[in-house]
Amino acid sequence: MVRSRKIALIGAATSAIAVIVTVLSAGLVRADLAAAYSYPNAQGVGLEDAASMTMTYLFVIAGVALLVGVLFASVRSVATTRTGWWVGATLVVLGLAAATYNSTQVFPLAIKLAFFLPVAAGVLWLAQPESGKAAALG
């Protein structure tokens, strides 16, 4: 359980890195949106609103990843059960889908890369024998 807990903490730390990278890249996100699209758009959304919605989206994804990392590191019954393993696997797949989607958007490269870090930690966590994998597959 110690290795699994450490990897979950690494996942929380990489999620915190994604939050920090998002904060530091806020101006670049706004500039990239301004360069890629014309505002106001057909729906009447202005640049400030689009940047705000984009930043909210990024913070929600990174925040959920941070909470999941902390939960899996601190609640042993979640991290060592068959259900916990399947929940973790599902969240890793959803995280990979979000990170892949982000990599296709007009986001700064640092954001595109940072959102793959929690996914990598999640994959590492799933591979640990004490993460509930044996119970999930047995």
Side-chain angles (χ1 to χ4, degrees):
M1 180 64 193
V2 172
R3 192 176 333 169
S4 179
R5 180 172 286 152
K6 284 181 184 177
I7 294 171
L9 287 172
I10 290 169
T14 59
S15 301
I17 290 169
V19 170
I20 292 167
V21 167
T22 301
V23 168
L24 295 175
S25 300
L28 294 173
V29 168
R30 186 183 183 287
D32 287 350
L33 288 173
Y37 306 105
S38 60
Y39 293 97
N41 63 16
Q43 292 79 26
V45 176
L47 176 59
E48 293 306 317
D49 290 336
S52 176
M53 288 185 285
T54 300
M55 294 304 292
T56 300
Y57 158 78
L58 292 170
F59 283 127
V60 166
I61 300 258
V64 167
L66 178 61
L67 290 174
V68 168
V70 169
L71 177 71
F72 274 72
S74 60
V75 181
R76 184 182 175 135
S77 62
V78 172
T80 59
T81 64
R82 176 185 308 195
T83 301
W85 190 89
W86 284 106
V87 167
T90 301
L91 291 172
V92 166
V93 169
L94 291 174
L96 180 60
T100 302
Y101 172 77
N102 289 348
S103 71
T104 67
Q105 300 305 303
V106 292
F107 297 151
L109 181 61
I111 287 178
K112 292 178 180 186
L113 296 176
F115 277 76
F116 280 102
L117 295 175
V119 174
V123 169
L124 257 155
W125 180 85
L126 290 171
Q128 297 305 305
E130 59 277 345
S131 70
K133 181 179 176 186
L137 298 176

